[in-house]
Amino acid sequence: MKDCDSKKECLGCDCRKKTIAAGAVFLVLVAAAIFLLVRQAQSQPFFGAEWKDFRENTLGISFAYPSSWNLVADYDHYAPGIFSAEMDNKKCAGAPGKCDSECIDLRILAAEKPLDGRGDGLVVQLYEDFMMVRDFSVSPLVAEIDSGSKKVFQVDHGGPTLALTGACAGPLYLFEAGDYFVYVFAGYGDSASGENDKIREIINSIRIGGA
C-alpha cells in the first residue's frame, strides 16, 4: 500500500514538474513575443508617439509628420484649388536667405489634375511640369524612388528649392495619386542631410483622394 502511495506521490511530483516546466516555456515564449513586438515598434517609429497625423477634408489629403515640427496648412493660398503644407524642424530660424546647418523644411503642394486643360494657370503649369518629369524620367537629374505603392520621381538640381525658407538646397519629389498630383519641395542644411529618411517617411504617408 505504501509502495502504491509512493508511486502516486512520485506521479504527482512528475505532473507538478511538467506543469512548472510548461509554464516556464510559456513565459519564455510570451517574453520573446513581447520582445519582438517592441523591436518591431522601435523599427517603425512612424506609428509611434513621436509622429502626428494630419488630415484635410477638401482634397481628402492626409499624412504623418514628426510631432516636434512646425506645420502650417492652407488651401487656395497660392492659387484656387491648390492645397499647401509648410513644415520645418524648428531649426530654421536663421537670417533670411541663409540655410541653417541643422534645418529641414518642406513645402507640399497638391491639386486635382486639370485633365481638360482648364483651371487656374498655376495648377495647369504645375501639372504640365509634372507630366514632363514623368514622361521624360530618363534624365540624369531624375530618379524613380521606391515609395511603396506610389511611383515617386526625385529631381536633383543642386540649388535651393521652393521649400519653406527657400534657402536650403534639396530635391524635389513628385508623384500622382488617382486624380491628383503632388509636389514635395525638400530642403536641408549640411548637418541635416542624414535626416532624409524622415522626408521619405512623410512622402510615403501621403494619401489623397482615397488613393
Side-chain angles (χ1 to χ4, degrees):
M1 190 71 180
K2 289 182 179 179
D3 291 339
C4 291
D5 291 340
S6 297
K7 289 179 180 179
K8 288 180 180 178
E9 288 175 5
C10 289
L11 289 172
C13 291
D14 290 341
C15 289
R16 285 195 295 272
K17 288 179 181 177
K18 290 179 179 178
T19 301
I20 292 172
V25 172
F26 175 76
L27 290 175
V28 169
L29 291 174
V30 170
I34 292 174
F35 174 76
L36 290 174
L37 288 173
V38 170
R39 287 297 300 272
Q40 184 180 25
Q42 289 175 342
S43 67
Q44 296 176 347
F46 182 78
F47 297 104
E50 296 181 356
W51 290 76
K52 285 184 178 180
D53 289 324
F54 170 85
R55 297 183 183 278
E56 184 270 349
N57 295 326
T58 304
L59 292 184
I61 188 169
S62 64
F63 56 84
Y65 67 99
S67 58
S68 61
W69 286 23
N70 292 318
L71 171 66
V72 177
D74 204 348
Y75 192 74
D76 293 344
H77 177 70
Y78 293 99
I82 294 182
F83 165 83
S84 63
E86 300 173 345
M87 64 187 82
D88 69 87
N89 63 347
K90 297 183 180 180
K91 298 179 181 180
C92 306
K98 177 185 177 183
C99 179
D100 292 336
S101 63
E102 296 183 351
C103 172
I104 306 174
D105 62 357
L106 298 176
R107 186 191 307 272
I108 300 174
L109 300 179
E112 190 171 3
K113 298 175 182 176
L115 298 180
D116 57 357
R118 300 177 182 177
D120 182 85
L122 180 58
V123 174
V124 173
Q125 182 63 54
L126 287 172
Y127 185 58
E128 289 178 351
D129 291 345
F130 165 76
M131 289 192 296
M132 183 175 63
V133 171
R134 180 194 64 189
D135 298 338
F136 297 95
S137 57
V138 294
S139 167
L141 297 177
V142 180
E144 184 177 329
I145 64 174
D146 183 16
S147 184
S149 60
K150 294 192 291 290
K151 181 183 289 187
V152 178
F153 300 99
Q154 176 179 319
V155 182
D156 290 307
H157 51 78
T161 69
L162 292 177
L164 185 60
T165 65
C168 294
L172 164 65
Y173 300 93
L174 307 95
F175 64 91
E176 55 188 332
D179 296 331
Y180 302 88
F181 66 97
V182 180
Y183 278 59
V184 181
F185 298 93
Y188 40 76
D190 294 336
S191 300
S193 58
E195 297 291 327
N196 194 44
D197 286 346
K198 287 184 178 178
I199 297 174
R200 295 287 185 88
E201 291 285 2
I202 293 172
I203 293 172
N204 291 346
S205 73
I206 296 175
R207 300 290 183 273
I208 182 170

